Amino acid sequence: MNAAESPAAPPRKPRGHSRAHDLVTDLTQRILLGKLRPGDKLPSENTLVREHGVSRTLVREALSKLQAAGLVEARHGVGTFVLERQPREGLRVGVESAASVRDLLELRIGLESQAAALAARRRTDEQLVRMRQALDDYQDLAAAGDSVIEPDRRFHLLIAEATGNLYFTEILNQLGNALIPRNRMAPEERSGSNLARHAYLANLEHEAILNAIRRQDPDAARAAICLHLSNSRDRLLPDKGEED
């Protein structure tokens, strides 16, 4: 094959742009997940340069983008600080009835199935460690008979974070406590089954999701979380024709 017949090399992504984007993504995730809270000071420019291996120019570009997004403000001579996030008109969720729980879980099946598949492709080792910790916390609380809602919610948010796509995290954050709806349903509308048994079964499904993400198997991750959310719906809202 002569030079004229050689296939063209794929275009190379500019390294500077990629690293600046990664820095914006990292800082935004830390703010959305509450690792950096309103009023917290961001790391200095020198620290960000050292931690991310980028130039001071790219750090300033990233901070400008965060300011434009309304996440931070720069105070001359002092530093850059996280802003209180203003409430926005957007997704409004009220989960107090069986019908609203069913609708929300149907939404989550579509959304989180894709999130799990992307997380399986893109997760980092550090994100796996944090997912593992969330499930360990879940198991400890379940064994003690305490509420498992916080680690349950944290596990699902970590999957969204591992997609590398901020919109998944943003949407799940907008769901708030409704992300784990069982504590907001009226008692008479719950299935009446043992909630401790439900927590045990749910965490077996969590383990299958984590194992698929660890193996970097998108199809298995998608199937595992779809099964988990479908089972969660059925455990909370059994068909009227089913016997207890």
Side-chain angles (χ1 to χ4, degrees), residues 76-209:
H76 184 67
V78 180
T80 302
F81 294 81
V82 179
L83 289 172
E84 184 78 41
R85 298 185 67 207
Q86 298 299 316
R88 293 184 291 176
E89 288 296 324
L91 187 62
R92 300 174 63 186
V93 180
V95 182
E96 281 87 27
S97 69
S100 58
V101 169
R102 183 180 296 108
D103 290 346
L104 177 59
L105 285 169
E106 288 176 355
L107 169 69
R108 289 182 58 199
I109 287 169
L111 179 69
E112 295 190 59
S113 294
Q114 179 64 9
L118 291 173
R121 295 188 181 99
R122 301 171 180 173
R123 94 296 186 276
T124 65
D125 290 342
E126 193 268 341
Q127 287 166 336
L128 283 178
V129 170
R130 289 159 58 203
M131 289 181 201
R132 176 71 268 160
Q133 185 61 57
L135 295 191
D136 288 346
D137 292 345
Y138 186 113
Q139 291 169 2
D140 290 344
L141 289 170
D146 293 332
S147 171
V148 296
I149 289 171
E150 187 281 326
D152 193 345
R153 183 173 184 271
R154 187 181 355 136
F155 177 67
H156 286 273
L157 286 171
L158 286 168
I159 293 172
E161 178 187 350
T163 66
N165 183 326
L166 297 177
Y167 292 110
F168 282 101
T169 305
E170 180 73 6
I171 290 174
L172 292 192
N173 269 316
Q174 286 195 38
L175 294 178
N177 290 334
L179 183 63
I180 309 298
R182 60 179 168 268
N183 66 321
R184 302 193 48 197
M185 289 177 61
E188 64 272 14
E189 288 201 292
R190 296 178 184 175
S191 69
S193 299
N194 190 318
L195 290 181
R197 174 67 175 169
H198 288 182
Y200 170 75
L201 293 173
N203 210 41
L204 291 179
E205 295 157 5
H206 287 153
E207 293 288 350
I209 296 165

Side-chain angles (χ1 to χ4, degrees), residues 223-237:
I225 204 164
C226 183
L227 178 64
H228 167 55
L229 294 173
S230 297
N231 285 346
S232 295
R233 176 192 60 202
D234 294 341
R235 283 189 288 264
L236 283 171
L237 309 165

